[in-house]
Amino acid sequence: MIALDIQGLTKQYATGAKALQGLSMRVEEGAMHALLGANGAGKTTTIGILTGLVRKSGGTATVLGHDLDAEPEVVRSLIGVVPQEFNFSIFETPFDICVTQAGFYGVPRQEAVTRVEALLKQLGLWEKRALPSRTLSGGMKRRLMIARALVHQPKILLLDEPTAGVDVELRRSMWEFLQTLNAQGTTILLTTHYLEEAEQLCQTASIIKQGTIVREGKMAELVASLDVKRFVFTTATPIASVSPIDGIVCKKIGDLEWDAELPQTGTVTALLAGLSAQGITVTDIRPRNNRLEELFLQTIS
Amino acid sequence: MATVSQWVPFRTLAWRECHRFLRIWKQSLVPPLITQSLYFIIFGAFLGARVGDVQGVGYAQFIVPGMVMMGVINGAFSNVAFSFFAAKFQRSIEELLVSPVKPATILGGYVAGGALRGLLTGLLIFAVSMFFARPAVEHPFVLVAFALLAAVLFAIGGFLNGLFAKSFDDAGVFTTFILTPLIYLSGIFYPVTALPEPWQTISRINPILYLVSGMRAGFFGNPEIPVSVSLGMVAVISVGLWMLALRLLKQGRGLTA
Ligand SMILES: Nc1ncnc2c1ncn2[C@@H]1O[C@H](COP(=O)(O)OP(=O)(O)OP(=O)(O)O)[C@@H](O)[C@H]1O
Ligand SMILES: [Mg+2]
């Protein structure tokens, strides 16, 4: 089944800004899908429309077969959302915030208390449950919003930059948490500016540019569709020039650093063999960018 | 999947609203008690002796219904106005907007919370009044009916105020320039019939006049305005404001982009 089916979505804000211009995308049920795009591309607007915070100007959206216009309340009860910006009362405690949120979805208090305890423990917030939420650190606040989004056990979880401002270690544990959730059947759509994160976590992705989707598909296929691969290598001693190696273009970018652009069919073995044949010792080689990053930059430029 | 029943969300929201004002009781419940006690001391005890009886009761007693009504109105209004505006300001209102809670439930939950604060404040002021004047309660049902109506009406008013307010300053403007003058000019300190014209006629446009008159009838009987007229008036205004607030909420005025 299709978890999320968005067709021709448009949004013009009161300021005149055309945030979405016929955006169409699909997310399969059970997927972990990345929505990628530059600042201002329309990611938050898209999520806002699905959750009822933004009124769409046109187009349709269907969530697990339920039309957003026809059954807004059903759609909302299927979705859990972790917004980009903090939006809880700083005077209330994590425990109260989550239990209250469960109540808004019709979960009786006793049941809510059990669920909230489990979630706060899993997300490492149990110790902080009774403190005013303004006293939490940035990463804790973000985890609080994840707990809050899950109290009604949504079928689809929308995360708008969930790992912004979260340290490396915590980010990994958040990934694991999301992967477990996904493995248990929750469809996940996330936006992120960390493309490495998207590549590791998500099987599918859409790239949004100025309010429309410009690329969409399986992560592996998207990355494979890159027509050039770029590497940076370091030589042992300064080299004046590198003779052409078939189809590979090398450019000097530093004293010892070189940039190599490989065609789709080119291999690192061929590059290294070519350099070796010219008597050049390579001490280090690495992709210039993460591959998804490369695709992203090529797509949105 | 059936739509979510609205009972649990309503109870959750109403409870959160009550919990909020109970948690900050020093700022929510104590100040009106101090203010009204001062009124009782100054107007009731000090000045009351010079004024003598008004409409057959001592002056200290005469002002009790108005003092109680003032507490109910201010408590209900400020609770919803402030709480709703703060939710908008902190964007925690989004917690409700993304959930399947219906607009009528959101309005109802806030109004219930505010009305309870108004009623609790009124009750406390009534208790305090016992130290200064022992007012008779001739018609308890009438008294309760007016307290309830006033609490609901001004809780809805507070909701509208919170909905329209764009800043904290905005949130207080209505109270300072409209609500407070209307309360003071609603006959809490004097019988309206004692006013010279045209003030008597002008006073009759003030909806709070009907509430104070009704409340006074609950305490002492002998209303200046028939109870049914006051009740009807206030009920009609309440329904009108409820419908307006609901409509704006459904449109997402100031809430959704
Ligand atoms: N409330 C609003 N009123 C007017 N314009 C808005 C509003 N919200 C967003 N926009 C505009 O709509 C466009 C898309 O914004 P949106 O927040 O959806 O981008 P985004 O992809 O989430 O960006 P980011 O990565 O920076 O979070 C931008 O041009 C933005 O200025
Ligand atoms: Mg955004």
Side-chain angles (χ1 to χ4, degrees):
Chain A
M1 194 168 187
I2 309 288
L4 214 55
D5 191 358
I6 298 174
Q7 293 298 328
L9 211 55
T10 57
K11 173 65 190 177
Q12 179 161 19
Y13 283 105
T15 55
K18 287 184 175 160
L20 300 182
Q21 315 199 40
L23 179 138
S24 300
M25 68 182 280
R26 279 169 159 229
V27 177
E28 293 284 336
E29 192 176 3
M32 175 111 82
H33 187 95
L35 178 58
L36 308 171
N39 288 138
K43 303 179 294 294
T44 301
T45 301
T46 305
I47 291 178
I49 289 173
L50 291 171
T51 52
L53 296 178
V54 177
R55 296 186 298 267
K56 65 184 165 68
S57 307
T60 59
T62 311
V63 176
L64 288 166
H66 298 275
D67 183 76
L68 180 64
D69 295 325
E71 304 173 276
E73 281 124 23
V74 176
V75 166
R76 280 176 215 163
S77 61
L78 291 168
I79 293 178
V81 61
V82 179
Q84 181 171 5
E85 285 165 46
F86 302 132
N87 69 344
F88 44 79
S89 163
I90 56 171
F91 303 108
E92 285 183 55
T93 67
F95 187 81
D96 285 347
I97 287 171
C98 292
V99 170
T100 300
Q101 190 69 12
F104 292 160
Y105 288 88
V107 181
R109 189 172 168 89
Q110 220 180 350
E111 167 73 17
V113 166
T114 315
R115 287 189 198 176
V116 169
E117 179 174 346
L119 280 168
L120 291 182
K121 281 180 176 165
Q122 280 178 64
L123 285 157
L125 290 171
W126 186 240
E127 305 298 311
K128 305 274 181 187
R129 67 186 175 281
L131 295 172
S133 58
R134 66 169 179 276
T135 63
L136 302 184
S137 77
M140 290 172 190
K141 285 178 179 156
R142 219 156 265 291
R143 278 178 285 153
L144 167 58
M145 296 203 298
I146 295 182
R148 186 185 63 181
L150 292 171
V151 287
H152 62 293
Q153 302 176 333
K155 295 262 185 295
I156 301 177
L157 182 62
L158 309 178
L159 302 125
D160 202 350
E161 296 186 33
T163 52
V166 172
D167 73 46
V168 182
E169 193 188 343
L170 211 65
R171 183 174 303 165
R172 308 258 159 196
S173 76
M174 220 182 240
W175 291 0
E176 268 171 38
F177 180 84
L178 294 179
Q179 276 167 327
T180 311
L181 202 66
N182 182 239
Q184 288 164 352
T186 309
T187 305
I188 294 178
L189 172 79
L190 68 86
T191 80
T192 178
H193 290 293
Y194 302 110
L195 297 166
E196 181 208 344
E197 171 171 285
E199 196 176 349
Q200 289 215 10
L201 275 179
C202 302
Q203 310 90 32
T204 51
S206 308
I207 298 180
I208 177 173
K209 180 184 174 183
Q210 289 166 8
T212 50
I213 300 294
V214 286
R215 293 291 270 277
E216 183 167 284
K218 292 205 171 73
M219 189 67 75
E221 286 169 13
L222 285 175
V223 170
S225 73
L226 265 178
D227 37 5
V228 290
K229 298 174 278 192
R230 291 199 173 84
F231 292 87
V232 172
F233 62 86
T234 311
T235 54
T237 50
I239 307 291
S241 66
V242 174
S243 333
I245 305 163
D246 66 306
I248 299 173
V249 188
C250 294
K251 270 187 244 140
K252 195 176 173 90
I253 53 171
D255 261 0
L256 299 171
E257 298 240 295
W258 287 75
D259 183 303
E261 213 176 274
L262 279 63
Q264 190 63 49
T265 52
T267 63
V268 180
T269 312
L271 170 65
L272 291 178
L275 291 170
S276 176
Q278 294 174 39
I280 298 170
T281 308
V282 175
T283 58
D284 180 52
I285 182 162
R286 59 185 187 279
R288 196 179 72 175
N289 287 311
N290 159 292
R291 291 176 307 161
L292 184 60
E293 210 158 271
E294 197 65 48
L295 173 78
F296 182 76
L297 291 172
Q298 284 179 23
T299 308
I300 66 161
S301 63
Chain B
M1 188 165 188
T3 51
V4 176
S5 143
Q6 297 293 300
W7 171 240
V8 174
F10 170 77
R11 212 182 44 193
T12 305
L13 179 56
W15 165 242
R16 186 189 72 183
E17 288 305 293
C18 292
H19 194 234
R20 193 190 72 86
F21 77 72
L22 291 174
R23 187 180 57 207
I24 54 165
W25 60 275
K26 281 183 224 160
Q27 295 140 57
S28 60
L29 298 175
V30 174
L33 286 185
I34 294 176
T35 316
Q36 305 315 69
S37 297
L38 288 171
Y39 281 124
F40 284 129
I41 293 168
I42 296 168
F43 290 99
F46 299 167
L47 290 177
R50 294 176 182 226
V51 176
D53 282 10
V54 181
Q55 293 185 339
V57 295
Y59 190 64
Q61 287 189 32
F62 178 80
I63 64 171
V64 171
M67 295 292 104
V68 171
M69 189 46 89
M70 192 179 196
V72 172
I73 291 174
N74 278 330
F77 188 90
S78 63
N79 198 69
V80 186
F82 183 79
S83 175
F84 190 77
F85 179 73
K88 222 168 74 166
F89 185 76
Q90 299 191 67
R91 298 178 58 174
S92 60
I93 192 65
E94 292 179 3
E95 293 174 337
L96 278 163
L97 300 177
V98 303
S99 78
V101 181
K102 289 185 196 293
T105 311
I106 297 180
L107 180 55
Y110 272 101
V111 168
L116 281 167
R117 165 147 161 211
L119 291 173
L120 186 57
T121 311
L123 192 66
L124 290 171
I125 291 169
F126 178 62
V128 165
S129 77
M130 291 296 176
F131 292 105
F132 302 95
R134 291 198 162 267
V137 178
E138 297 280 339
H139 304 289
F141 286 114
V142 173
L143 191 159
V144 170
F146 275 96
L148 210 63
L149 263 180
V152 169
L153 171 60
F154 283 91
I156 302 172
F159 190 90
L160 282 166
N161 190 59
L163 205 59
F164 282 115
K166 291 196 171 69
S167 66
F168 273 101
D169 291 335
D170 273 4
V173 163
F174 185 83
T175 305
T176 311
F177 291 99
I178 299 182
L179 186 58
T180 307
L182 283 181
I183 291 176
Y184 281 88
L185 297 175
S186 67
I188 52 178
F189 295 114
Y190 49 83
V192 173
T193 43
L195 287 180
E197 286 294 358
W199 301 110
Q200 205 176 120
T201 308
I202 291 173
S203 294
R204 285 178 193 275
I205 312 169
N206 180 356
I208 300 176
L209 178 80
Y210 297 87
L211 287 168
V212 172
S213 163
M215 184 63 103
R216 200 166 274 147
F219 275 95
F220 312 125
N222 306 324
E224 287 178 272
I225 302 160
V227 166
S228 55
V229 171
S230 301
L231 274 180
M233 221 22 225
V234 178
V236 166
I237 299 173
S238 300
V239 171
L241 289 185
W242 171 277
M243 286 181 349
L244 175 64
L246 193 59
R247 195 194 155 102
L248 293 170
L249 191 57
K250 280 183 180 158
Q251 288 171 353
R253 169 74 65 99
L255 300 172
T256 55

